Amino acid sequence: MDVGIALPDLGPWVAGNALPGVWSFPAPAPGPHVAIVAATHGNEIGGAVLLDRWLRAGLRPACGRLSLVFANLDALGRFDPEDPTASRFIDEDLNRLWDEETLSSGRRSCELRRARALRPLFDTVDVLLDLHSMLWPSDPLILTGRPRRAADLALRLGMPPLVVADEGHAAGLRLIDYGPFAEPEGDRTAILLEAGAHWEEPTVAVMEQAAARLLRLTGLMTEAMPEPRPAAPRLAAVTRTVTARTPGFAFLRPFRGGHVVPARNTLIALDGEEEIRTPHDDCLLVMPSLRTMPGQTAVRMARFVGA
């Protein structure tokens, strides 16, 4: 696979000023604590490119606190452009560990150590944007989890315009599903940006546009900066999450994420002998994974809200 961007020298940023790999900057004026998180998966280097760019530029908040987080430092340090998919994690997926039972358990792994180290910081964050990219072809989108306040923030952001409210993964809770961000009556909010294909400069550009717009929405960035006019945002709610049960899970054709299947009951995949069919008309396919292992999410199917 071609790698069109280079992982910058992260040496100046590894130590952090709050935690290893975490740079946190308070402003004199009060305001929210906003965190931009990169490299939750070590092979997704676009977010690290962006944070390096902002740190070198000396970005500071006009109010509140801004934290820039290189999440999975160990996996990121193993990124190899000759084998770019190999460094997603060291021991286990850092983005499946964010439930209280797992975080408080006696289990040990590289990623659990990192999650436990980052947890006190995230417990102070008011608004969090988790930057991700995608292996399989898909339109960019924002995932919001269950809280309506997260969907509302993503719709206000409008970059990218597709917002998907989902239930997460059977394999474990994501950072955006972590307790303070997911509490039904809470006021802290986390959203996840899937900005485009791994290792491409347009993906970094989408990350920068969305993150900069978030800083403007929250008041942390006040200077006027030109930005693209957002398309009218659309919200889709996941109606079924398909988790692969067999090694033979296969789509009938290589669907692209964002594809809309017009008719209910359309056969789209086989999982062993089980047929996977669309549950309703105008079914949005969210990030279909064209090679899926048992226990992993193969595709989410969603309905546009208001459609």
Side-chain angles (χ1 to χ4, degrees):
M1 297 181 179
D2 294 335
V3 176
I5 56 177
L7 181 66
D9 175 16
L10 300 179
W13 318 127
V14 168
N17 70 348
L19 291 166
V22 177
W23 291 83
S24 194
F25 305 107
H33 182 184
V34 177
I36 309 296
V37 180
T40 297
H41 298 130
N43 63 316
E44 299 178 18
I45 65 173
V49 172
L50 173 59
L51 296 198
D52 171 77
R53 182 181 300 167
W54 280 6
L55 285 164
R56 291 182 190 278
L59 180 68
R60 297 293 185 271
C63 68
R65 177 180 289 271
L66 173 63
S67 293
L68 304 177
V69 181
F70 298 92
N72 197 335
L73 274 177
D74 290 339
L76 186 62
R78 294 191 185 185
F79 180 77
D80 180 358
E82 298 300 318
D83 189 12
T85 63
S87 60
R88 181 174 172 86
F89 52 78
I90 303 297
D91 296 322
E92 58 182 327
D93 192 331
L94 179 58
N95 214 29
R96 301 292 183 271
L97 303 177
W98 292 94
D99 63 279
E100 180 63 37
E101 182 178 358
T102 298
L103 290 167
S104 301
S105 71
R107 278 177 49 199
R108 296 183 180 183
S109 72
C110 178
E111 278 75 20
L112 261 173
R113 284 194 301 274
R114 185 59 170 165
R116 289 162 180 156
L118 291 173
R119 182 183 186 183
L121 173 83
F122 292 147
D123 282 340
T124 70
V125 168
D126 298 299
V127 180
L128 182 143
L129 175 62
D130 194 9
L131 302 175
H132 288 257
S133 54
M134 298 178 276
L135 178 62
W136 303 109
S138 177
D139 298 337
L141 71 152
I142 300 174
L143 296 171
T144 69
R146 300 173 185 174
R148 179 65 205 200
R149 63 183 181 274
D152 290 342
L153 174 63
L155 290 168
R156 287 176 61 212
L157 192 67
M159 288 184 177
L162 177 58
V163 177
V164 177
D166 71 340
E167 296 289 323
H169 300 279
L173 296 190
R174 303 162 297 187
L175 176 55
I176 65 168
D177 305 316
Y178 174 55
F181 303 128
E183 291 171 354
E185 304 304 320
D187 57 5
R188 298 179 181 180
T189 307
I191 57 178
L192 187 158
L193 171 65
E194 294 282 3
H198 296 330
W199 320 310
E200 293 187 1
E201 186 56 45
T203 298
V204 181
V206 170
M207 290 178 174
E208 185 159 29
Q209 290 164 8
R213 182 166 172 80
L214 179 67
L215 296 189
R216 284 189 285 273
L217 285 176
T218 55
L220 269 69
M221 181 184 290
T222 57
E223 64 268 27
M225 293 178 62
E227 63 181 31
R229 181 182 298 274
R234 299 190 73 186
L235 175 63
V238 169
T239 54
R240 182 185 177 191
T241 298
V242 178
T243 302
R245 297 186 304 104
T246 72
F249 187 100
F251 288 96
L252 269 62
R253 63 185 179 89
F255 290 104
R256 176 185 176 87
H259 179 82
V260 176
V261 180
R264 175 185 177 275
N265 205 37
T266 299
L267 180 65
I268 63 168
L270 295 171
D271 191 1
E273 296 183 356
E274 180 186 359
E275 295 183 345
I276 309 299
R277 294 180 176 270
T278 53
H280 46 77
D281 292 344
D282 297 324
C283 183
L284 174 71
L285 302 185
V286 180
M287 296 177 62
S289 178
L290 303 184
R291 285 201 299 269
T292 306
M293 300 293 291
Q296 295 181 344
T297 300
V299 66
R300 283 158 280 196
M301 295 186 275
R303 187 198 307 270
F304 285 105
V305 174

